[in-house]
Structures are given as C-alpha cells and as structure tokens.
Amino acid sequence: MFRVGLSGALIADQDKHWEGSNRHYVNDAYVSAVHRAGAVPLIIPVTDGREVISSILDICGGVILTGGDDISPLLFGEEPVKGLGKQSPQRDAFELLLFRMALERSYPVFGVCRGLQLINVALGGTLYQDIGDLPEFTIQHLQKASRQAVTHHIDIVPDTYLYEVLGDKALVNSWHHQAIKKLAGSLRVTARSRDGVIEAVEADGCDMPPIIGVQWHPEELAATVPGMAKLFKTFVGLCNR
Ligand code: MN
C-alpha cells in the first residue's frame, strides 16, 4: 500500500509525571479516514529539519495538512486582533516548509480547516482572524453541535474535484472562527457557505499539482457520510501515481 503524509501537531502533556513534555500527534479521525480510503497514514512530526521532511516525502504520494490552532497573522502582515485564538509558531513554520517542499515535488496536497488557511497564506493570501466579530457573516461557523453533526450548507462550483465528489451542494460541519479574506492568486474558490464564507478552494492553473482545501472537517464525517469518505478516496487516488 502507498502512503499519505499527515502533518503532525504538538501538544503539552497534562500527566503530572510528564507535565510540559511535548507530544507529536494527529487526531485519530484523519488516520482512520486515510486508512479507510485505501492508503497508509504516515504522521509527519513537527520539525524544522528539511532532511526529515524530505526523507518522509520520499516514501509518500501526497500530503494532508491537518486542522488545528490559528495561524499567526504576522505571516500575512497583520497585527493580532482581540479575537485571535491560540497559535503555534513552531507548527506554522513546519507546515509552511512542508507545503513548499510538497509543491517542489508536485505532490497533491489536501488542506483541512487550518490546512486550507495555511495553503492560502503560503501562496500569498490573507485570513479573517475572527469572523465571529464580523456582522456580514451570519451563519454559526463555530458550531455548538458535535463535530460529527452537519450544520450548514455549502454551494459548490462546477468543474472542480469537489463538484465531482459532492455535486452542487452539501451539508458540512463547521469548526472554525477564521476564514480566507484575500484569496491567493493561484487558487480558485470551489465552494461557499450561504453567508459568503469561502468553504473550499482548489489550485487554479495547469502549472500546479492538485491542491484541495476545505474549511470544514471531512475526517470527522468520513465514517458516517459517504460523500466525505469519497472525498478522502478521491484525494488518496490522486496520491497513488
Ligand atoms: Mn463553516
């Protein structure tokens, strides 16, 4: 079986004997979704070592940038607003490097939530740091329902990977308070929520490898919603070259 790399994150251990010790992790939902889609999930640790990333990419066919903390606004030239959440500069730097190195190899990249935002920032776009503060966005994007519940619609643009998988509309979960503000020039919008938030993007142009970014968490739905399992199958299929 071929492998798909999952970007890892750091979490400080809460156990009293190991307090403050950093652990590298990926949520189980990603591991299960990739496995069920027919590939071997491989966790890539948070690192600034190019040789570590390079050696792992050698044995992967593509990369998934996973969800997580807010991206530092310094990376797109803004000061932090009051509603900005927890950040991880170490992980920002790691994933920017990982994304760049995946692009150099023309690997397919799938960005989930923070992953979509990271792709946009890496390619020159900007983010809303806290859409909860903005009156034009009327839908609840930080849902109070469980992550496995779908809560809002998205409308999908034809002639995209997403349209092939999900059709013209879908129900998604929503677990974000940031969103794309200025779209990077090399991306196109492939879905929006009904209050206009960019909910999905893809690479725009034939000089780019396949890049798919979604603002929701399909990994949390892949076990129960066939379309979301199909989304992982489609991405995994792109990685198997
Ligand atoms: Mn949303």
Side-chain angles (χ1 to χ4, degrees), residues 6-19:
L6 293 164
S7 68
L10 288 171
I11 194 166
D13 198 285
Q14 302 295 320
D15 181 278
K16 67 174 191 239
H17 300 295
W18 291 94
E19 208 182 318

Side-chain angles (χ1 to χ4, degrees), residues 36 49 70 96 103 141:
R36 270 198 306 268
D70 288 357
L96 285 172
L103 277 193
H141 287 278

Side-chain angles (χ1 to χ4, degrees), residues 139-141 152 172-176 193 197 199 215-216:
I139 286 173
Q140 184 183 68
H141 287 278
H152 75 66
V172 297
N173 56 9
S174 197
W175 204 255
H176 61 107
S193 57
V197 167
E199 288 276 343
Q215 186 56 79
W216 68 95

Side-chain angles (χ1 to χ4, degrees), residues 156-188:
I156 304 170
V157 175
D159 297 319
T160 60
Y161 286 115
L162 204 58
Y163 189 92
E164 271 173 46
V165 174
L166 297 174
D168 65 343
K169 57 176 175 292
L171 272 165
V172 297
N173 56 9
S174 197
W175 204 255
H176 61 107
H177 80 115
Q178 297 200 308
I180 291 176
K181 183 157 69 179
K182 189 190 112 201
L183 185 72
S186 43
L187 296 175
R188 63 189 285 225

